[in-house]
Amino acid sequence: MGIEAVVFDLDGVIIDSEEVWEEVRRGYVAEYDREFLPDTQDRMMGMSTPEWSGHLANEVGVPRTPEQVAAEVLGRMAERYRTALPVIPGSVEAVRRLGTRFPLGLASSSARILIDQVLETAGLTDAFRVTLSTEEVPRGKPYPDVYLTAAEKLGLSPAVCAAVEDSSNGLRSAAAAGLAVIAVPHGVYPPAPDALAQASLVVRNIAELTAEMIDTLR
């Protein structure tokens, strides 16, 4: 049983956004004189918008509602993406290359407004048959919801889909959904060893990923 579709993560796979997310959220927290702890960014990686905005409001202690936190942070992120999109070298080419062989999906923890902005700025609006935000499913990563829904919308069993992920929670999410997992570890925010161990294929960077590699899975 071979792979019939590929589902990409966005942050850390197509765009190198984790440092931008940390910079924006760290600055936002500092404006309210709250502390951005050493593990705050790691804990939020893979969370859906309601989850991370709730974390900043309720656990970090920003004196705003989760809805206000989400709107304010997302507005700052969208502006950054419009003016200086941090595209990972070779990622757009990899998407286009694999798209000639497989139907593609996108399963991201980013909000819909940011997914649409990234795809527009990167010229990838037409590249994916299905795009999903974890805010559009019941639970964010590491739960399997977004990958299960992506496979369903592609009309395929998760068992014949592959996921391309970088973060611990993303790898766990794809593995829990039953997809073949391809890991592209982030150099600054590497996945935990237990999460990386769930990958069937590990590549150093997205530019190296080919359809022939994916054909060896399953």
Side-chain angles (χ1 to χ4, degrees):
M1 182 169 57
I3 298 300
E4 298 180 23
V6 178
V7 184
F8 282 83
D9 178 35
L10 181 65
D11 296 272
V13 172
I14 296 174
I15 57 172
D16 194 5
S17 58
E18 297 300 350
E19 291 185 46
V20 181
W21 272 109
E22 180 168 357
E23 180 183 334
V24 168
R25 291 192 287 211
R26 184 183 291 275
Y28 181 76
V29 167
E31 289 175 14
Y32 292 98
D33 295 321
R34 297 300 190 270
E35 185 178 6
F36 198 92
L37 298 173
D39 69 341
T40 297
Q41 179 68 10
D42 286 342
R43 291 182 64 184
M44 289 190 292
M45 287 176 69
M47 285 186 178
S48 67
T49 300
E51 290 168 338
W52 63 253
S53 60
H55 177 78
L56 291 181
N58 301 323
E59 297 186 45
V60 177
V62 173
R64 305 285 280 167
T65 67
E67 293 76 18
Q68 290 170 323
V69 170
E72 290 159 4
V73 171
L74 290 175
R76 297 181 190 195
M77 289 294 298
E79 180 58 28
R80 290 285 292 270
Y81 287 171
R82 279 191 291 272
T83 57
L85 187 67
V87 176
I88 293 175
S91 64
V92 172
E93 294 81 1
V95 169
R96 291 296 186 188
R97 182 170 62 248
L98 295 178
T100 66
R101 169 70 174 78
F102 302 100
L104 303 181
L106 186 76
S108 175
S109 297
S110 279
R112 170 56 60 184
I113 184 177
L114 297 185
I115 293 173
D116 292 345
Q117 184 64 61
V118 169
L119 297 183
E120 178 183 343
T121 306
L124 290 174
T125 302
D126 65 335
F128 297 96
R129 186 171 299 181
V130 171
T131 64
L132 276 174
S133 166
T134 52
E135 69 182 12
E136 297 163 348
V137 296
R139 300 173 297 178
K141 302 172 184 178
Y143 294 101
D145 303 32
V146 71
Y147 279 107
L148 291 173
T149 304
E152 179 184 1
K153 287 184 176 293
L154 286 166
L156 295 168
S157 164
V160 297
C161 297
V164 186
E165 272 284 0
D166 69 301
S167 69
S168 296
N169 283 343
L171 294 166
R172 292 173 181 135
S173 172
L179 283 73
V181 183
I182 301 166
V184 189
H186 194 283
V188 179
Y189 306 99
D194 71 286
L196 188 60
Q198 300 189 64
S200 301
L201 173 65
V202 180
V203 296
R204 291 179 300 174
N205 62 71
I206 192 65
E208 297 180 355
L209 186 60
T210 65
E212 289 74 21
M213 292 178 179
I214 295 172
D215 283 336
T216 67
L217 301 176
R218 301 296 194 197

